[in-house]
Amino acid sequence: MFAVTPDGYGGPEVMKWAQVDDLPAPAEGEVAVDVVAAGVNRADIMQRQGFYPPPPGASDILGLEVSGVVAAVGPGVEGWQPGDAVCALLSGGGYAERVNVPATQLLPVPDGVSLTAAAALPEAAATVWSNIVMAGGLREGQTLLVHGGGSGIGTHAIQVGRALGARVAVTAGSQYKLDRCAELGANTLINYRDDDFVKVVTAEYGGADVILDIMGAGYLRRNVAALAEDGALAIIGLQDGAAAELDLGLMLFKRASIHVTGLRRRPRSGPGSKAEIIAELRQKLWPLIADGAVTPVVSAEIPIADVAEAHPLLDSAETVGKVLLTIREP
């Protein structure tokens, strides 16, 4: 089969679409998927640069989410059969013609979503739902602050927040991205280059009940200041550093909580596992997608042979939503 095989670590040019060994048949509890499209995530960029190795036992091929068609099922798999249209959350291996994935990390393509566009869902949906709902407890009438509102995670989080009946504030660095966030339902638009999100959110809402943060250390002090009482800060990225001082006194005063979570290294099964998150997505989020309340936002579809053109798009001022790599016709 063909897959993206990096020639060492470095820039986008190290990625090549080349022939590799075929995968073995799916093991116990696994499903083989012929890949139609793969989502591009910042974790892929970090792995390409040598900063984010795959967890033990995972494929060293890039790619954490795909859509495609079930090609074969392994022993013990129930509920899936060859020909099923699916999307899947992976620990690696998505930039390829075929991938083996635990059946518990598989989701049906939602009604109304194309097979290609479905590749934009698993990573963003699992990240957003596990952080703002399962951990953050977001509910109707609360305020959600999303940093990086124009990203794949951000565009998904805006819609989930609105579908749950929350008010949504977003930060972004351009009016173009803020306008797109407004189209998706964001109530409060904050240009982080010009405005202080702490002042805006505090003045309008008395603080945010849940904050979804991709920046890390550089935003920690201001995020805590922006929290409402009993608020929850979910840190899912460290784009602005990993170490910062935390004001525990202010946290105590607000009865606030912070959780810092990743998705890729979660266990397959058990409490806090990928399987647990995927099951909740299918039960609670997939109906919202089928109803059109939440839709995948795709900024670009790039043929897999041109993968080197895809990674830089994540930092483009014109990119709003997900970037997909297309492998074969659906």
Side-chain angles (χ1 to χ4, degrees):
M1 70 174 190
F2 277 75
V4 172
T5 56
D7 183 15
Y9 300 122
E13 70 281 355
V14 303
M15 297 183 294
K16 307 295 181 184
W17 181 242
Q19 195 164 16
V20 300
D21 292 338
D22 287 339
L23 292 176
E28 178 85 23
E30 288 187 338
V31 171
V33 176
D34 284 335
V35 179
V36 166
V40 178
N41 291 280
R42 194 158 295 277
D44 303 336
I45 295 176
M46 294 173 62
Q47 182 175 334
R48 187 202 76 216
Q49 295 169 334
F51 301 131
Y52 193 29
S59 171
D60 59 2
I61 295 171
L62 303 178
L64 301 180
E65 60 185 341
V66 297
S67 61
V69 177
V70 172
V73 298
V77 172
E78 297 180 355
W80 302 104
Q81 60 185 5
D84 286 343
V86 297
C87 54
L89 179 69
L90 313 174
S91 296
Y95 291 15
E97 289 184 309
R98 177 173 286 192
V99 65
N100 289 337
V101 57
T104 53
Q105 292 169 214
L106 220 57
L107 285 158
V109 174
D111 291 343
V113 176
S114 72
L115 185 53
T116 298
L121 288 172
E123 180 77 11
T127 298
V128 169
W129 194 268
S130 64
N131 280 280
I132 71 172
V133 179
M134 297 174 72
L138 184 71
R139 59 186 184 272
E140 184 177 1
Q142 290 191 325
T143 298
L144 169 67
L145 171 60
V146 179
H147 291 302
S151 66
I153 294 290
T155 54
H156 188 84
I158 292 167
Q159 297 179 82
V160 171
R162 294 293 289 159
L164 294 176
R167 301 175 295 266
V168 181
V170 298
T171 65
S174 71
Q175 192 59 48
Y176 171 71
K177 290 192 175 185
L178 290 172
D179 288 343
R180 293 295 307 278
C181 291
E183 292 171 4
L184 293 170
N187 305 93
T188 301
L189 311 173
I190 306 166
N191 188 321
Y192 64 76
R193 302 182 191 278
D194 303 322
D195 301 315
D196 182 345
F197 68 81
V198 179
K199 292 181 179 179
V200 174
V201 172
T202 302
E204 291 197 23
Y205 306 114
D209 298 289
V210 180
I211 299 176
L212 187 63
D213 176 58
I214 59 174
M215 301 306 292
Y219 272 34
L220 181 61
R221 178 185 59 81
R222 287 183 289 162
N223 276 331
V224 172
L227 281 174
E229 292 188 5
D230 298 306
L233 168 61
I235 300 174
I236 60 170
L238 305 174
Q239 294 183 35
D240 198 17
E245 186 174 286
L246 177 62
D247 186 342
L248 292 176
L250 184 55
M251 292 284 295
L252 184 65
F253 177 78
K254 292 188 173 187
R255 302 179 303 279
S257 64
I258 297 177
H259 60 276
V260 185
T261 65
L263 190 60
R264 189 179 193 184
R265 298 184 66 87
R266 287 178 182 261
R268 285 189 178 188
S269 59
S273 66
K274 296 185 184 79
E276 182 181 67
I277 295 170
I278 293 299
E280 184 146 332
L281 292 182
R282 186 166 186 175
Q283 178 186 3
K284 298 180 179 179
L285 177 61
W286 252 228
L288 297 176
I289 297 175
D291 289 344
V294 179
T295 62
V297 179
V298 178
S299 179
E301 298 179 9
I302 307 295
I304 190 71
D306 300 323
V307 61
E309 299 177 11
H311 279 201
L313 291 178
L314 264 63
D315 293 315
S316 168
E318 303 303 315
T319 298
V320 174
K322 298 285 292 191
V323 175
L324 302 182
L325 297 167
T326 55
I327 286 83
R328 56 166 56 86
E329 291 293 324

